[in-house]
Structures are given as structure tokens and as C-alpha cells.
Amino acid sequence: MLPYMRDIYGNASGVHLFSREAMSAIDRSRRDIASLLNCFQSEIFFTSGGTESDNWAIRGVAQSLRHKGNHIITTQFEHPAVLAVCKYLSTVGYDVTYIGVSNEGYVSVDDIEKAIRPETILVSVMYANNEIGTIQPIRQIADVCHKNNVLFHTDAVQAIGSENIDVRELDVDLLSASAHKFYGPKGVGFLYVKQGTPLGNYLFGGMQESGKRAGTLNSPGIVGMVEALKLCRDEQKESGERIKDLCDKFIGKMLRALPICQINGGNNRLKGTINLCFTGVKNEALLTLLDMNGIAASGGSACSAGSLEPSHVLLAIGKTPEEARSSIRFSFGKYNTAEEIDYAAQVIIDAVCRLSPDSDLIKYSSSEGDRI
Ligand SMILES: *Cc1c(COP(=O)(O)O)cnc(C)c1O
């Protein structure tokens, strides 16, 4: 990214040499993303991240197809970037159905099909949930949507770095991605829009992004995002296996040492995401102890942090508010080491023992450290 901040800093939309250099980097980036996802360059639109991509996909379709209908289907456990747009749209004449999810954290294709009505214009279901990691049957949902002449959007923000996504194979009409979820820079992302999909303009102004999303392009961000995605794809198999091993090792330690610990959600999930419930222990207190020991985890998505409400995702999969307030999401990445997993497990076990109201339930003691 540095050359695009220091040397090639021209505005990509300008006409002089500096601009042309910046534009050719952006063209190259668009070509590279298109080839990684198996689509046309003209189907990739650069945005400021996942939130914008989700907002644009949903508002853009809603606006373009208003004459056809006003019904949108989504799920109860989407990211706030989807839920809040749907909530807004329902105040301006749209009707939104929020499909429930199973206790394991999966959306049923049947439920989607049953919810489709003649006035349905769009279905939006996330590829993988950001709090519990469960992966949804995206291709099957796309089939059901298309059989019924309905457009399908997926928020693939959590999945794009670790799953081998091919948009033709998935057959989605719109797909959202964000660079900082796959080791890229913050504040940049993209929206895939299948050719011919009716999608209203998002930002009005200049002619950037085919006139649909005006504004000077973030050339260093775009170059960085594409480089990060290429690296992810190159290392996908190897780092995926490593991350899964670390995550499994961590889960094993938790479950063996802490009988009060349970996994939230089913097993078909992202390799590096696990959500655990520590029954009876307040996650806020636990997170504070973990933070003091250099362990960064969360009680929900960063986008809902600061709210005292229990996670809407955990409630959607049937957890009680108490269980939701006793749960923590842990994420593992390619830079984590086995030593870090050992350290984190030890800190968490000690902290849970300290905080548990019912320490009899915990059959662990520090002297038995080697048991874990
Ligand atoms: C992080 C995230 C977003 C928001 O992306 P930003 O780039 O942070 O705006 C949207 N959806 C999901 C599933 C996410 O995990």
C-alpha cells in the first residue's frame, strides 16, 4: 500500500500521469478480485467495507424493484449492517420477514421457500455467522430464490478469507465483503453484483464505479485489500488447517477443564470461530479479566459492543438471556501460535474458576494443570 500513499498518490479519476497510474492499479485490482471470485470485472464495485456493501445491496434492490414488490426476507441472526437497513426499510413501506434459525445456528432452506410471496423482491442470508461461525446452505437458498424469481444477497464478510468462494458456483446475485476481515486494511470492501441485477445508485456525484457509487477511490486501500485476498487464497489450505487445529485444541482444553462450558451452535462452522457459554459466569467480568491478561475476545460483534443487550444471535438460536450473557466468542487467526492457545486456555480456566458462583462444578485445580 505504501507506494500508493507516497508516490502514486494521484486521484484515480483524474486525467494526468499520476491519475493514470493510480487507475491502472485499481483496474488491476478489480481484475484480480474478479478472477479470484470467478466473475467479470464489471461486477465488482469498491466500497468502504462490509456495512456499506450490505446497505447498498439491500437498499439498492429495494429501491429498484419497488414497482415489483415490497417484501424482503432475511434472518434473525444477521449482522446489524443488514438488520438495521431492513428495520429502516420497514419504516418506509417495505415489509420484512425475519426467518428464525435452528438451535444449531442454521437457516432452513424450506423456511425461506415458505416465506416467499408474489411480492418478495430480495432474500438476504449471511454466508457464515460472525458470532457463532455457522455456515449456511447458500447455494441451496440461491436455487430456491431463483426458482421463485427472487434476487439473493449474501453477506460473505466472515467467509471470504477462509472459504473458497466462487460466485458463479454459488449463484448469488449480490455478495458483500470487507478487507479487514481477511487481514486487509480497514475501511475498504467490495460488493459483487451479478450482471443485469437491478441495483439503484448508492452515492450520487461523480462517475466513479459506473456512476453508481460516486466518490474518489481509496487506491491504497483497494490495492491492500486485493493483496490480502490473494495471500489468503494462496495460504488458504495450509493456514486453514493450522487454524482449525488451534481452535480444536482450545475447545478440547475448555471442555475438559470446565464442565460448565458448552459450545454455542453446530459444528459446520468457520475454522477459526468458536462461541462458548460458561454457565453462571458473567461474560463482562470474564472479558475484563481476559483483557487484563492480554487476551482479546468479545461478547458479541464489535458492532454491538457497548450495548447491554444480550446477543441477538444467541437469542435467535434459543439461548436464554442469561446464557447469552455468559457467552464469549473466540477467534483464531493465521498468526496465532500453539503457545498462545495454551496461555489463553490457562488464563480463561483460572478466570472462570474465580468467577464461577458454583466452583464445585469445576473439577479443575491449578495443581492439575497437566490434565488440560
Ligand atoms: C464485520 C462485519 C460486517 C461489517 O463490516 P465493516 O467492514 O466492519 O463495515 C458486516 N457483516 C458481517 C458478517 C461482519 O462480520
Side-chain angles (χ1 to χ4, degrees):
M1 294 169 72
L2 284 174
Y4 294 92
M5 293 185 205
R6 278 194 305 228
D7 311 318
I8 309 166
Y9 48 77
N11 178 339
S13 315
V15 290
H16 42 64
L17 175 67
F18 299 112
S19 295
R20 286 199 302 275
E21 283 178 342
M23 200 38 154
S24 77
I26 284 170
D27 288 343
R28 205 175 330 114
S29 301
R30 208 187 301 276
R31 217 166 34 237
D32 289 347
I33 294 197
S35 97
L36 289 172
L37 298 188
N38 190 22
C39 66
F40 298 119
Q41 289 172 57
S42 57
E43 296 175 314
I44 298 293
F45 292 83
F46 294 119
T47 67
S48 67
T51 300
E52 183 185 324
S53 298
D54 286 343
N55 272 254
W56 187 8
I58 296 169
R59 287 183 75 170
V61 168
Q63 182 194 325
S64 303
L65 293 184
R66 186 67 183 83
H67 60 281
K68 180 173 177 259
N70 70 338
H71 183 228
I72 295 168
I73 299 170
T74 186
T75 77
Q76 289 175 0
F77 78 160
E78 296 298 309
H79 189 274
V82 166
L83 291 177
V85 186
C86 290
K87 195 170 154 197
Y88 161 72
L89 287 175
S90 62
T91 67
V92 293
Y94 292 87
D95 186 13
V96 184
T97 300
Y98 299 89
I99 300 281
V101 290
S102 71
N103 290 347
E104 298 266 280
Y106 303 108
V107 175
S108 136
V109 182
D110 253 15
D111 288 352
I112 301 273
E113 183 149 37
K114 283 191 201 115
I116 294 178
R117 316 198 290 236
E119 64 274 20
T120 307
I121 49 177
L122 177 71
V123 171
S124 178
V125 177
M126 68 201 322
Y127 192 113
N129 184 271
N130 50 307
E131 293 189 32
I132 55 177
T134 49
I135 296 174
Q136 307 306 317
I138 296 304
R139 173 64 208 238
Q140 290 91 310
I141 298 173
D143 288 347
V144 153
C145 290
H146 295 150
K147 199 173 88 190
N148 290 281
N149 198 20
V150 172
L151 292 175
F152 180 44
H153 164 250
T154 188
D155 172 343
V157 170
Q158 286 288 328
I160 193 130
S162 61
E163 305 298 306
N164 214 346
I165 289 180
D166 174 323
V167 290
R168 290 279 178 271
E169 216 170 89
L170 271 187
D171 204 23
V172 294
D173 300 295
L174 302 120
L175 177 144
S176 304
S178 173
H180 73 106
K181 302 288 172 71
F182 51 80
Y183 305 91
K186 291 164 190 65
V188 59
F190 65 86
L191 179 65
Y192 158 77
V193 185
K194 188 176 170 181
Q195 221 165 44
T197 304
L199 186 75
N201 287 12
Y202 193 64
L203 293 177
F204 295 85
M207 285 311 292
Q208 293 91 349
E209 302 302 271
S210 316
K212 286 183 170 296
R213 198 272 186 190
T216 300
L217 289 159
N218 173 2
S219 32
I222 290 167
V223 167
M225 167 166 70
V226 176
E227 196 58 32
L229 191 57
K230 280 199 242 171
L231 287 171
C232 276
R233 285 292 171 97
D234 289 347
E235 302 164 355
Q236 203 160 62
K237 195 164 176 304
E238 191 196 317
S239 65
E241 280 165 16
R242 236 177 53 77
I243 291 169
K244 185 171 186 312
D245 285 349
L246 292 177
C247 190
D248 286 348
K249 184 175 174 205
F250 175 78
I251 297 168
K253 281 169 178 284
M254 291 294 111
L255 296 180
R256 277 197 300 279
L258 302 170
I260 60 165
C261 174
Q262 279 178 328
I263 298 178
N264 291 323
N267 277 329
N268 180 22
R269 58 170 186 266
L270 297 170
K271 296 177 184 76
T273 303
I274 186 70
N275 196 303
L276 298 176
C277 178
F278 302 95
T279 312
V281 176
K282 290 254 183 315
N283 62 9
E284 249 174 286
L286 188 49
L287 286 167
T288 305
L289 281 180
L290 300 194
D291 188 30
M292 282 163 53
N293 286 286
I295 295 167
S298 75
S301 75
C303 301
S304 45
S307 79
L308 293 170
E309 293 300 306
S311 151
H312 72 286
V313 172
L314 297 177
L315 297 182
I317 65 167
K319 300 292 163 191
T320 64
E322 289 67 37
E323 286 170 325
R325 286 198 183 90
S326 299
S327 297
I328 293 186
R329 175 191 66 179
F330 298 94
S331 325
F332 302 90
K334 62 180 177 185
Y335 297 117
N336 280 128
T337 62
E339 293 71 43
E340 285 171 337
I341 302 304
D342 291 339
Y343 170 73
Q346 194 61 54
V347 170
I348 295 162
I349 291 164
D350 288 345
V352 169
C353 290
R354 257 177 75 183
L355 296 171
S356 176
D358 192 358
S359 22
D360 285 351
L361 267 178
I362 298 172
K363 300 200 187 70
Y364 166 83
S365 77
S366 307
S367 60
E368 291 179 80
D370 55 0
R371 261 187 45 207
I372 57 163

